[in-house]
Amino acid sequence: MKVTLDGGQVIDLAITEATPTIGIIDYSRRVTDDYGVTTVVQRDFARRLSSRLVVPSAVADTLQRNLVRLRATAAQWTAVAGSPWLDFRGFYKEFEIDLATPTVSYCTLTVESLAGSEVYTETGIDPAPSGVSILQLLQPAAIGDAALIASNLPENDYPEWSAAATYGLGARVIKAATHRIYESAAVNNVGNDPVGISGKWRDLGPTNRWAMFDQALGSVATAAGEISVTLSAGQINAVAVLDTTATAVRVQAEGYDRTIAPNASGTATLLDLPLAAGNVTITITGPGTIEAGTLLVGRLVGLGETEEGPKTGINDYSVKETDDFGEVKVVERAWAKRMSVRSKIRTDALDIVASRIASVRARPSLWIGKDGLDTLTIYGFFRDFTIERDVTISTLALTVEGLSTAGKVEPMAARVDWPDVQDPLGTKPEDNATLGAPVGTPVAGRPAEEVVGSLDQLEEDAAAAATQIEGLKEDGDAIRVDLQAAQEAIAANGEGILAAQQTLGEQGTTISQLQAVAENTAGSLAQLLDTVTAGSASVSQQLHALQTADDAFASSILAGAIKTGEQSAAFSSEKTIRRNAEAVIARLVDQAVVAAGNAEVGLTQEAILRAAADEAIGLLVTSLSATVNGNTISISQQSELLAQAVGDVVRLYARNALLIEAGNLITGFENSTNGEVADFAIRTDRFRLLTAIGAIKQLEVRQGTVIGYYPTGQKMYQLGEQSVA
């Protein structure tokens, strides 16, 4: 291993063993949320090289001094000259020297290149030692207007959006420019472009004509009997159809015409097309209405010969939780395949294989561990890869995670505020409701007098129930008095335990209580556990107190829950204080969550306080989140502070951060101080400073560019990238 500095100086560190390992650090944002929705933003990547060096123990000190000197210096690191993945410019991340014997030592060194975004040009070389790869990668071509030559699917799902039209809540339109469907999220929606930032439209997904090309699972194209498209996507030699209900897939190109039946999972792969640029026609047929989820065409390249024993599984995003009351909550959500596979490649093709994988780091691709095995055919992203280099044959280790199936977008509920209800026939009541209903008027299919009679009976039943509940309360109070008296009697004798439960009424209403006191030479303990249940509603309380020679502890826990059908609500509040020989601690945790159908909103707040002889720490975390139909928005805030004295040195630190997340959009700020320097950081796509009245833009920061405006709104100056509008 050699290091070449900018000034031309070459440092020969040591001899590299025959098996250095390369890998990748991908800075792309690829996040899959709790619902299986993956958000991808392509960014730069860096190469990683891990090598084991052999060095005489007598020069181990020299090696360490050289590496220490290079710890913050960018240099050219060369394990194998001329190999982009083994000869690059960067920094070493870490090293460790093992003084194995008095004569020989070993140094484990990890080096990372500078980040970049190189463009890889495909060579078509097969890296397999036999010349035929089993592990393969289909690099899909992007399908746009120019590539889609013909299709039998019309793009007429809904009317084209018009700036002059007025749309009601839930109205749907398409835009041919984006090939997507939009649903109005407001009443009297006029002049608001669905692609704009008005917030009055929601994107429902691609149109039927383009659903096969949106690089996502879950959106499907449908047709009666046949789907036929003709594409011109450049140099291609492979076609794949995923998630189809058809019975046959036919591919026609110059010198090629082949028809196959999809497998049981709805996957059809045709990987033997002659590599050529030209039109290719894909025809998908079957009885009745057929579906096709994803259509991929592109360049099939090899990644080596798959070794025995690849591993497959799934990532399940379903929720399976058991709450504090033993109730199991199961919410079925999406799932995705995953695969770990190893393959053998020629060492002289190491750079080709690594560059092929890196080139699709933020692009969903089709990974084929073995053609014909659905469990080893995954449409998604690589999670990580390494290549162990040897003299002639190297080993690739690859981990792939598939995309999950996106959930269907449900129609927006047709709910309109009363003032917005139109009245073209003059039948809207002036007072927002009728004052009465004549005898015989149908109300939900029943005569009005029958409905009124039922309501009167319900009122009488409610009054009787209220009286009964009052009686239950009196009985419950009596039970508590008896239990308290019993506990006092037991406590007078030194220790005791008492439990009681009373069933009240015949509707599943109970009050239960457990009291315990104990005292001996080891300390004293007291606790009180109460549970009140009425049908689907319950409340529990736990009080604990403990005293020993070295410790004191007290806590209070209050929790409640209601669950009826798809509606539920729960809260909990926990307060704890503790003292021991080292510190005094207080902790408060409050939580609340309500859910109905596919909507859920929750709040969590936690505070921790700790004081010791020379240290005081405080932490406050608040999180508010809401989810509907798999779409989540959240606000979280964290505040922390520290005051610490170590000898004569006093350390002061404080930090406050606010973060807002909505889908793949994140904004927030963080300010902190260490007692010497104050820091303020903002994370956002666009930052604006307004005047006191908040109406006139004065200064705006967007994509690193500063733009100043006159009070009239006219641009005054622009500092930075001039292409930013």
Side-chain angles (χ1 to χ4, degrees):
M1 172 76 78
K2 294 190 297 184
V3 183
T4 304
L5 303 181
D6 290 344
Q9 180 185 0
V10 178
I11 302 174
D12 195 346
L13 293 179
I15 299 173
T16 303
E17 281 194 327
T19 56
T21 300
I22 66 168
I24 189 172
I25 304 168
D26 186 6
Y27 297 106
S28 300
R29 176 179 172 81
R30 189 168 65 243
V31 178
T32 302
D33 64 19
D34 293 340
Y35 298 88
V37 178
T38 300
T39 302
V40 182
V41 179
Q42 181 170 325
R43 295 176 180 166
D44 292 347
F45 74 97
R47 297 177 171 91
R48 182 180 64 240
L49 168 63
S50 298
S51 184
R52 183 175 163 92
L53 310 178
V54 182
V55 61
S57 296
V59 298
D61 290 342
T62 302
L63 174 62
Q64 178 166 297
R65 284 195 297 271
N66 285 333
L67 291 174
V68 169
R69 185 158 57 95
L70 295 169
R71 66 188 184 278
T73 302
Q76 188 74 19
W77 297 80
T78 304
V80 177
S83 169
W85 287 81
L86 295 162
D87 185 2
F88 53 74
R89 181 175 172 81
F91 300 86
Y92 81 81
K93 183 178 181 180
E94 58 186 2
F95 75 91
E96 183 178 70
I97 298 177
D98 179 10
L99 301 172
T101 69
T103 58
V104 178
S105 296
Y106 300 93
C107 175
T108 302
L109 177 67
T110 300
V111 184
E112 296 179 357
S113 75
L114 301 180
S117 55
E118 302 173 8
V119 177
Y120 171 68
T121 301
E122 182 55 57
T123 63
I125 295 175
D126 195 315
S130 67
V132 180
S133 287
I134 300 174
L135 179 60
Q136 299 176 93
L137 167 63
L138 197 166
Q139 303 165 323
I143 304 299
D145 290 311
L148 183 58
I149 304 301
S151 172
N152 71 329
L153 301 179
E155 195 168 22
N156 58 0
D157 308 55
Y158 297 97
E160 177 76 12
W161 174 78
S162 171
T166 300
Y167 298 98
L169 181 68
R172 294 186 176 185
V173 298
I174 66 171
K175 288 205 70 176
T178 61
H179 307 300
R180 301 191 70 82
I181 303 170
Y182 304 92
E183 184 178 73
S184 175
V187 297
N188 295 326
N189 190 353
V190 58
N192 299 298
D193 192 330
V195 186
I197 59 173
S198 67
K200 295 186 177 182
W201 294 90
R202 65 170 183 161
D203 188 337
L204 300 186
T207 59
N208 191 50
R209 182 186 180 96
W210 289 88
M212 296 184 293
F213 308 116
D214 68 338
Q215 296 186 340
L217 299 180
S219 54
V220 297
T222 62
E226 178 180 292
I227 298 174
S228 178
V229 296
T230 299
L231 306 174
S232 179
Q235 294 273 342
I236 67 169
N237 61 356
V239 174
V241 180
L242 311 179
D243 295 332
T244 181
T245 59
T247 56
V249 175
R250 182 183 183 185
V251 175
Q252 296 169 283
E254 185 176 355
Y256 185 89
D257 190 342
R258 184 183 174 198
T259 302
I260 66 171
N263 63 21
S265 298
T267 299
T269 55
L270 296 96
L271 311 179
D272 56 348
L273 278 74
L275 181 62
N279 291 353
V280 57
T281 299
I282 300 98
T283 306
I284 306 168
T285 57
T289 300
I290 61 171
E291 297 180 350
T294 301
L295 172 58
L296 306 174
V297 298
R299 186 83 174 262
L300 185 71
V301 295
L303 298 178
E305 298 176 18
T306 305
E307 289 187 340
E308 297 294 333
K311 296 179 174 60
T312 66
I314 68 167
N315 294 327
D316 185 8
Y317 301 103
S318 301
V319 175
K320 298 179 281 287
E321 296 178 347
T322 304
D323 62 19
D324 294 339
F325 301 93
E327 184 173 351
V328 179
K329 175 185 177 182
V330 179
V331 179
E332 183 176 335
R333 291 178 180 167
W335 64 278
K337 296 180 183 178
R338 69 171 185 268
M339 170 178 70
S340 297
V341 62
R342 294 170 63 88
S343 71
K344 294 297 184 184
I345 64 173
R346 299 194 319 275
T347 297
D348 62 3
L350 179 147
D351 291 315
I352 294 174
V353 172
S355 297
R356 280 175 180 169
I357 299 174
S359 68
V360 295
R361 63 190 180 280
R363 182 163 46 131
S365 304
L366 190 65
W367 305 83
I368 304 170
K370 184 177 182 180
D371 188 26
L373 278 181
D374 189 65
T375 55
L376 295 179
T377 302
I378 298 181
Y379 180 55
F381 304 91
F382 78 86
R383 180 178 180 181
D384 194 14
F385 79 88
T386 60
I387 300 178
E388 297 177 8
R389 183 185 185 276
D390 214 326
V391 178
T392 58
I393 304 297
S394 298
T395 303
L396 165 68
L398 176 69
T399 302
V400 177
E401 292 184 346
L403 291 175
S404 65
T405 300
K408 301 294 184 183
V409 179
E410 298 297 334
M412 182 174 291
R415 174 185 168 188
V416 182
D417 292 336
W418 181 257
D420 295 323
V421 175
Q422 303 299 312
D423 188 24
L425 301 179
T427 58
K428 178 180 176 180
E430 293 182 358
D431 297 326
N432 297 347
T434 58
L435 298 177
V439 175
T441 301
V443 178
R446 298 170 60 191
E449 61 271 21
E450 181 180 335
V451 174
V452 173
S454 298
L455 292 175
D456 291 340
Q457 184 61 48
L458 287 174
E459 186 176 357
E460 294 177 5
D461 294 343
T467 302
Q468 184 180 13
I469 290 173
E470 288 299 322
L472 295 178
K473 289 181 179 179
E474 295 176 0
D475 293 342
D477 292 340
I479 292 173
R480 290 180 182 274
V481 172
D482 293 342
L483 291 173
Q484 183 65 33
Q487 182 189 29
E488 293 174 355
I490 294 174
N493 295 325
E495 64 180 81
I497 297 176
L498 176 66
Q501 179 170 329
Q502 177 70 29
T503 300
L504 309 173
E506 298 178 354
Q507 305 300 321
T509 303
T510 63
I511 297 178
S512 63
Q513 186 175 76
L514 170 66
Q515 302 181 54
V517 294
E519 186 173 1
N520 51 44
T521 57
S524 58
L525 166 69
Q527 65 178 15
L528 174 64
L529 310 178
D530 286 324
T531 300
V532 178
T533 303
S536 62
S538 63
V539 179
S540 65
Q541 177 182 243
Q542 302 181 30
L543 304 177
H544 302 270
L546 171 69
Q547 173 72 53
T548 67
D550 302 318
D551 205 349
F553 173 88
S555 72
S556 169
I557 302 175
L558 180 65
I562 299 173
K563 183 173 178 60
T564 304
E566 293 186 351
Q567 295 179 325
S568 63
F571 74 89
S572 64
S573 179
E574 179 180 356
K575 299 176 177 62
T576 304
I577 54 175
R578 185 172 185 177
R579 176 204 60 80
N580 55 32
E582 298 178 356
V584 180
I585 303 171
R587 180 172 183 264
L588 297 85
V589 182
D590 291 314
Q591 293 181 311
V593 61
V594 295
N598 294 323
E600 181 176 298
V601 60
L603 171 67
T604 301
Q605 187 171 50
E606 179 177 9
I608 301 176
L609 307 176
R610 185 180 188 275
D614 300 312
E615 183 181 78
I617 301 174
L619 174 66
L620 177 63
V621 180
T622 302
S623 177
L624 177 66
S625 65
T627 299
V628 62
N629 292 336
N631 300 294
T632 300
I633 186 168
S634 65
I635 303 175
S636 59
Q637 184 169 9
Q638 180 172 326
S639 302
E640 57 188 71
L641 52 82
L642 167 69
Q644 185 182 59
V646 180
D648 296 330
V649 179
V650 176
R651 180 189 177 198
L652 300 175
Y653 173 79
R655 172 180 172 272
N656 182 63
L658 176 70
L659 191 67
I660 301 176
E661 295 190 55
N664 62 339
L665 296 179
I666 302 176
T667 183
F669 70 89
E670 175 179 324
N671 57 319
S672 63
T673 179
N674 59 2
E676 299 178 357
V677 178
D679 183 68
F680 183 74
I682 297 175
R683 177 178 182 178
T684 189
D685 295 326
R686 184 174 64 180
F687 172 70
R688 292 182 292 170
L689 295 178
L690 308 179
T691 63
I693 61 175
I696 306 175
K697 290 193 292 186
Q698 298 291 328
L699 179 67
E700 180 172 311
V701 180
R702 184 165 68 246
Q703 300 178 20
T705 297
V706 180
I707 307 173
Y709 295 88
Y710 289 105
T712 61
Q714 181 181 4
K715 185 184 296 184
M716 181 168 54
Y717 61 84
Q718 182 163 331
L719 304 177
E721 187 66 37
Q722 296 301 307
S723 63
V724 176

